[in-house]
Amino acid sequence: MAVERTYVMLKPDALQRGIAGQIIARIERRGYRIATMKTMQLDEAILREHYAHIADQPYFPATVEYMTSGPVVAMVVEGEQAIQGVRQLMGPTAFEKAVPGTIRGDYAASTTRNLIHGSDSPGAARQEILRFFGPEGLA
């Protein structure tokens, strides 16, 4: 088993609903360590970079509006197979497919307001950690 680092972001609805602490506790109870964490307000420029794969979609402006509606919590999470493990803990993006016991299955109100983001691969984790934490996040 390999110790990995992954990027996790609690989206504005997690903070607005006051459940960020519960979500972080679930990540830690699963055995992962929060290597670094910060609260930040995102702007359209960083969202265009982060969501480049959907920036040309008609729903992108709504995504920007949602993601700039309040602060997010950005984290570097580490542990054995952290990328896959955190994604399992999160549940599927489509909240109606997320089973109880997952973060989205227990807390998400919609697919667009789905509380949490986690890197989906080692390459994405590296890129996202660099984007939000710089090289220090990889150490």
Side-chain angles (χ1 to χ4, degrees), residues 3 5 16 19-20 23 27 31 62 74 97-99 109 113 124 127 132-134:
V3 173
R5 281 190 162 205
Q16 292 161 354
I19 58 174
I23 295 170
I27 292 168
K97 294 180 182 177
V99 298
R113 292 187 169 268
Q127 184 178 48
F132 291 98
F133 289 95

PDB file of all heavy atoms in Angstrom, residues 3 5 16 19-20 23 27 31 62 74 97-99 109 113 124 127 132-134:
ATOM      1  N   VAL A   3       1.325   5.386   0.633  1.00  0.00           N
ATOM      2  CA  VAL A   3       0.825   6.609   1.242  1.00  0.00           C
ATOM      3  C   VAL A   3       0.742   7.643   0.128  1.00  0.00           C
ATOM      4  O   VAL A   3       1.690   7.840  -0.624  1.00  0.00           O
ATOM      5  CB  VAL A   3       1.744   7.099   2.386  1.00  0.00           C
ATOM      6  CG1 VAL A   3       1.300   8.464   2.878  1.00  0.00           C
ATOM      7  CG2 VAL A   3       1.744   6.088   3.522  1.00  0.00           C
ATOM      8  N   ARG A   5      -0.971  11.607  -1.173  1.00  0.00           N
ATOM      9  CA  ARG A   5      -1.563  12.905  -0.829  1.00  0.00           C
ATOM     10  C   ARG A   5      -2.622  13.196  -1.879  1.00  0.00           C
ATOM     11  O   ARG A   5      -2.422  12.933  -3.058  1.00  0.00           O
ATOM     12  CB  ARG A   5      -0.515  14.012  -0.835  1.00  0.00           C
ATOM     13  CG  ARG A   5       0.317  14.000   0.422  1.00  0.00           C
ATOM     14  CD  ARG A   5       1.175  15.238   0.530  1.00  0.00           C
ATOM     15  NE  ARG A   5       1.576  15.335   1.931  1.00  0.00           N
ATOM     16  CZ  ARG A   5       1.912  16.447   2.525  1.00  0.00           C
ATOM     17  NH1 ARG A   5       1.909  17.582   1.866  1.00  0.00           N
ATOM     18  NH2 ARG A   5       2.254  16.454   3.791  1.00  0.00           N
ATOM     19  N   GLN A  16     -21.730  26.822   4.644  1.00  0.00           N
ATOM     20  CA  GLN A  16     -22.992  27.527   4.855  1.00  0.00           C
ATOM     21  C   GLN A  16     -23.951  26.711   5.723  1.00  0.00           C
ATOM     22  O   GLN A  16     -24.698  27.272   6.520  1.00  0.00           O
ATOM     23  CB  GLN A  16     -23.642  27.866   3.505  1.00  0.00           C
ATOM     24  CG  GLN A  16     -22.872  28.905   2.726  1.00  0.00           C
ATOM     25  CD  GLN A  16     -23.208  28.923   1.239  1.00  0.00           C
ATOM     26  OE1 GLN A  16     -23.942  28.088   0.725  1.00  0.00           O
ATOM     27  NE2 GLN A  16     -22.631  29.889   0.519  1.00  0.00           N
ATOM     28  N   ILE A  19     -21.633  22.093   8.422  1.00  0.00           N
ATOM     29  CA  ILE A  19     -21.298  20.672   8.567  1.00  0.00           C
ATOM     30  C   ILE A  19     -19.853  20.365   8.164  1.00  0.00           C
ATOM     31  O   ILE A  19     -19.476  19.197   8.063  1.00  0.00           O
ATOM     32  CB  ILE A  19     -22.282  19.767   7.793  1.00  0.00           C
ATOM     33  CG1 ILE A  19     -22.318  20.123   6.305  1.00  0.00           C
ATOM     34  CG2 ILE A  19     -23.675  19.842   8.412  1.00  0.00           C
ATOM     35  CD1 ILE A  19     -23.157  19.171   5.468  1.00  0.00           C
ATOM     36  N   ALA A  20     -19.037  21.391   7.977  1.00  0.00           N
ATOM     37  CA  ALA A  20     -17.639  21.173   7.599  1.00  0.00           C
ATOM     38  C   ALA A  20     -16.917  20.322   8.639  1.00  0.00           C
ATOM     39  O   ALA A  20     -16.168  19.410   8.289  1.00  0.00           O
ATOM     40  CB  ALA A  20     -16.922  22.501   7.397  1.00  0.00           C
ATOM     41  N   ILE A  23     -17.746  16.665   8.299  1.00  0.00           N
ATOM     42  CA  ILE A  23     -17.109  16.056   7.125  1.00  0.00           C
ATOM     43  C   ILE A  23     -15.625  15.814   7.390  1.00  0.00           C
ATOM     44  O   ILE A  23     -15.103  14.730   7.100  1.00  0.00           O
ATOM     45  CB  ILE A  23     -17.335  16.936   5.878  1.00  0.00           C
ATOM     46  CG1 ILE A  23     -18.827  16.973   5.543  1.00  0.00           C
ATOM     47  CG2 ILE A  23     -16.512  16.422   4.698  1.00  0.00           C
ATOM     48  CD1 ILE A  23     -19.202  18.000   4.481  1.00  0.00           C
ATOM     49  N   ILE A  27     -13.373  12.172   7.519  1.00  0.00           N
ATOM     50  CA  ILE A  27     -12.108  11.924   6.828  1.00  0.00           C
ATOM     51  C   ILE A  27     -11.065  11.430   7.830  1.00  0.00           C
ATOM     52  O   ILE A  27     -10.352  10.453   7.575  1.00  0.00           O
ATOM     53  CB  ILE A  27     -11.641  13.202   6.096  1.00  0.00           C
ATOM     54  CG1 ILE A  27     -12.600  13.523   4.940  1.00  0.00           C
ATOM     55  CG2 ILE A  27     -10.202  13.061   5.609  1.00  0.00           C
ATOM     56  CD1 ILE A  27     -12.422  14.899   4.337  1.00  0.00           C
ATOM     57  N   GLY A  31      -9.047   7.375   9.000  1.00  0.00           N
ATOM     58  CA  GLY A  31      -7.621   7.102   9.153  1.00  0.00           C
ATOM     59  C   GLY A  31      -6.727   8.026   8.358  1.00  0.00           C
ATOM     60  O   GLY A  31      -5.499   7.840   8.352  1.00  0.00           O
ATOM     61  N   ALA A  62     -23.215  29.033 -13.655  1.00  0.00           N
ATOM     62  CA  ALA A  62     -23.882  28.663 -12.393  1.00  0.00           C
ATOM     63  C   ALA A  62     -22.889  28.024 -11.426  1.00  0.00           C
ATOM     64  O   ALA A  62     -22.970  28.238 -10.213  1.00  0.00           O
ATOM     65  CB  ALA A  62     -25.054  27.722 -12.667  1.00  0.00           C
ATOM     66  N   ALA A  74      -9.874  24.273   1.762  1.00  0.00           N
ATOM     67  CA  ALA A  74      -8.952  23.520   0.923  1.00  0.00           C
ATOM     68  C   ALA A  74      -8.047  22.693   1.830  1.00  0.00           C
ATOM     69  O   ALA A  74      -7.546  23.202   2.830  1.00  0.00           O
ATOM     70  CB  ALA A  74      -8.123  24.477   0.075  1.00  0.00           C
ATOM     71  N   LYS A  97     -27.315   9.030  -6.556  1.00  0.00           N
ATOM     72  CA  LYS A  97     -26.652   7.729  -6.647  1.00  0.00           C
ATOM     73  C   LYS A  97     -25.789   7.444  -5.422  1.00  0.00           C
ATOM     74  O   LYS A  97     -25.274   6.339  -5.265  1.00  0.00           O
ATOM     75  CB  LYS A  97     -25.786   7.661  -7.905  1.00  0.00           C
ATOM     76  CG  LYS A  97     -26.588   7.712  -9.183  1.00  0.00           C
ATOM     77  CD  LYS A  97     -25.685   7.644 -10.391  1.00  0.00           C
ATOM     78  CE  LYS A  97     -26.502   7.752 -11.669  1.00  0.00           C
ATOM     79  NZ  LYS A  97     -25.647   7.751 -12.857  1.00  0.00           N
ATOM     80  N   ALA A  98     -25.623   8.428  -4.559  1.00  0.00           N
ATOM     81  CA  ALA A  98     -24.761   8.280  -3.378  1.00  0.00           C
ATOM     82  C   ALA A  98     -25.526   7.534  -2.278  1.00  0.00           C
ATOM     83  O   ALA A  98     -26.637   7.924  -1.913  1.00  0.00           O
ATOM     84  CB  ALA A  98     -24.308   9.651  -2.886  1.00  0.00           C
ATOM     85  N   VAL A  99     -24.939   6.483  -1.790  1.00  0.00           N
ATOM     86  CA  VAL A  99     -25.603   5.657  -0.787  1.00  0.00           C
ATOM     87  C   VAL A  99     -25.416   6.232   0.620  1.00  0.00           C
ATOM     88  O   VAL A  99     -24.430   6.921   0.890  1.00  0.00           O
ATOM     89  CB  VAL A  99     -25.094   4.201  -0.834  1.00  0.00           C
ATOM     90  CG1 VAL A  99     -25.402   3.564  -2.193  1.00  0.00           C
ATOM     91  CG2 VAL A  99     -23.618   4.113  -0.529  1.00  0.00           C
ATOM     92  N   ALA A 109     -27.577  17.869  -1.020  1.00  0.00           N
ATOM     93  CA  ALA A 109     -28.943  18.270  -1.328  1.00  0.00           C
ATOM     94  C   ALA A 109     -29.230  18.215  -2.828  1.00  0.00           C
ATOM     95  O   ALA A 109     -30.379  18.187  -3.228  1.00  0.00           O
ATOM     96  CB  ALA A 109     -29.199  19.682  -0.803  1.00  0.00           C
ATOM     97  N   ARG A 113     -24.892  21.044  -5.743  1.00  0.00           N
ATOM     98  CA  ARG A 113     -24.472  21.453  -4.399  1.00  0.00           C
ATOM     99  C   ARG A 113     -24.148  20.174  -3.632  1.00  0.00           C
ATOM    100  O   ARG A 113     -24.917  19.731  -2.795  1.00  0.00           O
ATOM    101  CB  ARG A 113     -25.565  22.265  -3.705  1.00  0.00           C
ATOM    102  CG  ARG A 113     -25.790  23.606  -4.348  1.00  0.00           C
ATOM    103  CD  ARG A 113     -26.748  24.460  -3.542  1.00  0.00           C
ATOM    104  NE  ARG A 113     -26.747  25.816  -4.044  1.00  0.00           N
ATOM    105  CZ  ARG A 113     -25.955  26.788  -3.585  1.00  0.00           C
ATOM    106  NH1 ARG A 113     -25.118  26.561  -2.614  1.00  0.00           N
ATOM    107  NH2 ARG A 113     -26.015  27.983  -4.105  1.00  0.00           N
ATOM    108  N   ALA A 124      -4.102  14.370 -11.099  1.00  0.00           N
ATOM    109  CA  ALA A 124      -5.008  15.455 -10.711  1.00  0.00           C
ATOM    110  C   ALA A 124      -4.684  15.932  -9.298  1.00  0.00           C
ATOM    111  O   ALA A 124      -4.706  17.136  -9.024  1.00  0.00           O
ATOM    112  CB  ALA A 124      -6.455  14.999 -10.802  1.00  0.00           C
ATOM    113  N   GLN A 127      -1.633  18.196  -9.460  1.00  0.00           N
ATOM    114  CA  GLN A 127      -1.977  19.465 -10.111  1.00  0.00           C
ATOM    115  C   GLN A 127      -2.837  20.335  -9.190  1.00  0.00           C
ATOM    116  O   GLN A 127      -2.617  21.540  -9.068  1.00  0.00           O
ATOM    117  CB  GLN A 127      -2.710  19.166 -11.415  1.00  0.00           C
ATOM    118  CG  GLN A 127      -3.035  20.371 -12.245  1.00  0.00           C
ATOM    119  CD  GLN A 127      -3.725  19.953 -13.537  1.00  0.00           C
ATOM    120  OE1 GLN A 127      -4.670  19.165 -13.535  1.00  0.00           O
ATOM    121  NE2 GLN A 127      -3.236  20.483 -14.649  1.00  0.00           N
ATOM    122  N   PHE A 132      -3.626  25.032  -5.417  1.00  0.00           N
ATOM    123  CA  PHE A 132      -4.191  25.644  -4.219  1.00  0.00           C
ATOM    124  C   PHE A 132      -3.190  25.838  -3.076  1.00  0.00           C
ATOM    125  O   PHE A 132      -3.423  26.659  -2.201  1.00  0.00           O
ATOM    126  CB  PHE A 132      -5.397  24.841  -3.733  1.00  0.00           C
ATOM    127  CG  PHE A 132      -6.571  24.939  -4.670  1.00  0.00           C
ATOM    128  CD1 PHE A 132      -6.829  23.942  -5.594  1.00  0.00           C
ATOM    129  CD2 PHE A 132      -7.388  26.049  -4.663  1.00  0.00           C
ATOM    130  CE1 PHE A 132      -7.906  24.024  -6.469  1.00  0.00           C
ATOM    131  CE2 PHE A 132      -8.465  26.163  -5.531  1.00  0.00           C
ATOM    132  CZ  PHE A 132      -8.724  25.153  -6.442  1.00  0.00           C
ATOM    133  N   PHE A 133      -2.053  25.110  -3.109  1.00  0.00           N
ATOM    134  CA  PHE A 133      -1.089  25.207  -2.020  1.00  0.00           C
ATOM    135  C   PHE A 133       0.336  25.485  -2.467  1.00  0.00           C
ATOM    136  O   PHE A 133       1.211  25.701  -1.638  1.00  0.00           O
ATOM    137  CB  PHE A 133      -1.099  23.930  -1.171  1.00  0.00           C
ATOM    138  CG  PHE A 133      -2.330  23.786  -0.334  1.00  0.00           C
ATOM    139  CD1 PHE A 133      -3.415  23.047  -0.783  1.00  0.00           C
ATOM    140  CD2 PHE A 133      -2.417  24.394   0.903  1.00  0.00           C
ATOM    141  CE1 PHE A 133      -4.554  22.917  -0.010  1.00  0.00           C
ATOM    142  CE2 PHE A 133      -3.553  24.287   1.688  1.00  0.00           C
ATOM    143  CZ  PHE A 133      -4.630  23.544   1.224  1.00  0.00           C
ATOM    144  N   GLY A 134       0.589  25.416  -3.769  1.00  0.00           N
ATOM    145  CA  GLY A 134       1.943  25.603  -4.242  1.00  0.00           C
ATOM    146  C   GLY A 134       2.794  24.380  -3.927  1.00  0.00           C
ATOM    147  O   GLY A 134       2.304  23.376  -3.401  1.00  0.00           O
TER     148      GLY A 134
END
